[in-house]
């Protein structure tokens, strides 16, 4: 923990600005977000672990988080000090995610909550993605399409919980792309590389298209793509085939969910949301149903800002904070299991 932490907090007198801190550590990214009590200031201080080869190794990622946490915390606290502010609440990504990584963030959050004597909140990673995206786009009651390394889910907030209208039955869209690209010799995350290669050809080959009602399955696509890769088919053709098929499957499920939910807004968020082709296809679906479509222009990948902002929603709703001794992590936490106070 930074040595100057004692000089940052606890300013007395005057109109002291209030801030909420959020810690993200579910997978490859460690981040600390800062948000002002009125939501007008939102900052993100982050660093991402990039494996030399292969996918994310939980132990190596957690070691990365331990290494970078002090500097990121120092920068976040310095900002608050510069603004003559104080911390009034603290949140951390409680799950879902990789256990070793989650525990790094939770441990730091507990220490800070005790040090500053502020309420501690456990935030669901996927819900945080959706909430920050709603804040950035101005959408109020959207059908959220969350696509990332850990999630492929179509959901909307109904009362105190998010309802899942459709989801992947196996691997996520982000994992499909990363796992295929790793097989082709690229390091994770490789979404931008896949998109670039796909844009270099108009050629397409048929691969499995598996939609089951409002759910979809990507594992069959991955198996066939690996076989085609070994047969020497152009990587550009495979990338385009992957995108066109996987995205079309998602659009079909979104279209079905849109019809059932009768929502008038579609919100695309999560790391894969940056893909221009996916944006184009979902925008077409929205136009067909006369729905508004939006995607945030930043913070689609994992970040601390989304944890801080969702923590703010908890804090301003007078939610009951976690007891430090009960703030264990939940690596397999589903978003439809979370009762929300706002």
């Amino acid at each position: 923990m930074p040595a100057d932490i004692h000089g940052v907090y606890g300013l007395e007198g005057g109109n002291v600005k209030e801030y909420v801190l959020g810690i993200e550590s579910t997978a490859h990214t460690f981040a600390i977000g800062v948000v002002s009590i009125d939501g007008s200031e939102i900052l993100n201080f982050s660093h991402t672990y990039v494996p030399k080869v292969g996918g994310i190794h939980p132990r190596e990622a957690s070691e990365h988080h331990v290494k970078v946490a002090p500097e990121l915390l120092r920068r976040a606290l310095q900002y608050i000090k510069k603004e003559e502010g104080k911390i009034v609440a603290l949140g951390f990504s409680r799950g879902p995610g990789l256990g070793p990584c989650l525990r790094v963030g939770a441990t730091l959050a507990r220490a800070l909550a005790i040090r500053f004597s502020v309420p501690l909140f456990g935030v669901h990673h996927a819900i945080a993605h959706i909430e920050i995206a709603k804040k950035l786009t101005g959408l109020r009651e959207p059908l959220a399409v969350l696509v990332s390394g850990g999630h492929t889910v179509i959901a909307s907030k109904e009362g105190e919980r998010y309802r899942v209208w459709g989801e992947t039955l196996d691997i996520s869209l982000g994992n499909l792309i990363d796992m295929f690209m790793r097989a082709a010799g690229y390091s994770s995350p490789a979404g931008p590389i896949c998109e670039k290669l796909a844009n270099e050809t108009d050629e397409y080959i048929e691969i499995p298209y598996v939609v089951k009602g409002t759910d979809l399955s990507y594992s069959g696509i991955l198996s066939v793509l690996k076989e085609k890769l070994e047969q020497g088919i152009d990587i550009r053709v495979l990338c385009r085939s992957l995108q066109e098929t996987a995205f079309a499957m998602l659009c079909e499920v979104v279209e079905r969910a849109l019809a059932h939910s009768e929502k008038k807004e579609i919100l695309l968020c999560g790391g894969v949301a940056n893909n221009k082709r996916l944006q184009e296809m979902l925008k077409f679906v929205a136009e067909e149903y006369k729905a508004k479509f939006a995607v945030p222009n930043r913070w689609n990948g994992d970040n601390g800002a989304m944890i801080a902002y969702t923590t703010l929603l908890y804090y301003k709703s007078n939610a009951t904070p976690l007891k430090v001794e009960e703030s264990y992590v939940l690596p397999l936490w589903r978003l439809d299991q979370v009762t929300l106070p706002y």
Side-chain angles (χ1 to χ4, degrees):
M1 192 173 292
D4 63 350
I5 189 171
H6 299 284
V8 174
Y9 180 76
L11 295 172
E12 302 295 339
N15 296 319
V16 178
K17 296 177 70 173
E18 297 180 334
Y19 291 92
V20 171
L21 230 62
I23 300 173
E24 159 61 23
S25 67
T26 55
H28 51 48
T29 298
F30 186 89
I32 297 180
V34 176
V35 59
S36 60
I37 200 69
D38 63 358
S40 63
E41 301 169 58
I42 306 178
L43 296 93
N44 179 57
F45 304 91
S46 68
H47 196 280
T48 299
Y49 154 77
V50 179
K52 294 180 180 178
V53 292
I56 300 173
H57 189 291
R59 178 182 56 78
E60 291 180 359
S62 65
E63 290 173 351
H64 161 271
H65 296 352
V66 171
K67 182 178 179 181
V68 303
E71 173 59 18
L72 296 177
L73 177 60
R74 185 190 66 79
R75 291 168 58 191
L77 295 179
Q78 277 192 337
Y79 176 82
I80 296 173
K81 182 178 182 180
K82 177 176 67 71
E83 296 297 316
E84 298 185 344
K86 70 174 184 177
I87 299 168
V88 295
L90 204 143
F92 68 101
S93 49
R94 195 177 187 188
L98 303 174
C101 297
L102 287 169
R103 285 190 282 274
V104 174
T107 299
L108 178 58
R110 294 182 195 115
L112 292 173
I114 292 171
R115 166 66 186 88
F116 295 154
S117 298
V118 295
L120 177 67
F121 299 98
V123 174
H124 191 285
H125 177 83
I127 291 176
H129 268 299
I130 297 171
E131 298 300 351
I132 192 67
K134 286 163 63 176
K135 167 70 174 176
L136 293 173
T137 60
L139 298 190
R140 298 181 61 83
E141 296 183 3
L143 181 70
V145 183
L146 173 59
V147 282
S148 66
H151 300 88
T152 295
V153 61
I154 299 94
S156 64
K157 190 172 182 293
E158 307 293 336
E160 296 181 335
R161 293 198 174 194
Y162 270 90
R163 172 176 178 175
V164 173
W165 295 94
E167 61 188 323
T168 176
L169 297 173
D170 39 49
I171 60 176
S172 69
L173 179 56
N175 279 341
L176 165 65
I177 295 171
D178 280 345
M179 292 168 76
F180 170 66
M181 296 304 287
R182 285 205 301 271
Y186 298 92
S187 297
S188 297
I193 300 173
C194 180
E195 182 177 8
K196 178 179 179 297
L197 292 172
N199 289 336
E200 293 177 0
T201 182
D202 292 326
E203 196 174 342
Y204 167 90
I205 61 171
E206 287 193 14
I207 54 178
Y209 183 105
V210 185
V211 170
K212 301 180 179 180
T214 55
D215 296 322
L216 37 79
S217 171
Y218 286 133
S219 58
I221 291 180
L222 179 61
S223 298
V224 170
L225 284 173
K226 285 182 176 180
E227 291 177 2
K228 301 293 185 182
L229 186 65
E230 292 176 356
Q231 293 169 8
I233 295 180
D234 192 329
I235 181 66
R236 296 171 297 178
V237 174
L238 296 179
C239 285
R240 183 169 188 273
S241 302
L242 183 161
Q243 287 197 169
E244 293 300 310
T245 304
F247 294 173
M249 289 165 54
L250 182 63
C251 286
E252 179 181 335
V253 172
V254 169
E255 186 173 3
R256 196 164 289 139
L258 201 62
H260 283 293
S261 67
E262 299 184 341
K263 295 291 183 181
K264 297 301 180 183
E265 300 172 326
I266 298 178
L267 173 66
L268 178 61
C269 56
V272 188
N274 292 320
N275 188 292
K276 299 301 182 185
R277 177 56 177 153
L278 178 57
Q279 292 178 18
E280 179 183 28
M281 293 172 73
L282 279 174
K283 186 176 181 181
F284 178 78
V285 172
E287 289 172 350
E288 286 289 298
Y289 281 82
K290 295 180 172 58
K292 184 177 181 180
F293 172 77
V295 57
N297 59 7
R298 56 177 171 160
W299 294 334
N300 280 313
D302 293 351
N303 62 86
M306 68 185 194
I307 305 299
Y309 178 70
T310 309
T311 300
L312 175 65
L313 297 179
Y314 274 76
Y315 178 71
K316 295 184 76 171
S317 301
N318 295 315
T320 302
L322 286 172
K323 295 179 180 179
V324 170
E325 61 271 21
E326 296 177 357
S327 58
Y328 47 84
V329 299
L330 301 168
L332 301 178
W333 206 11
R334 284 182 57 89
L335 85 165
D336 53 4
Q337 294 175 333
V338 185
T339 300
L340 299 167
Y342 54 87

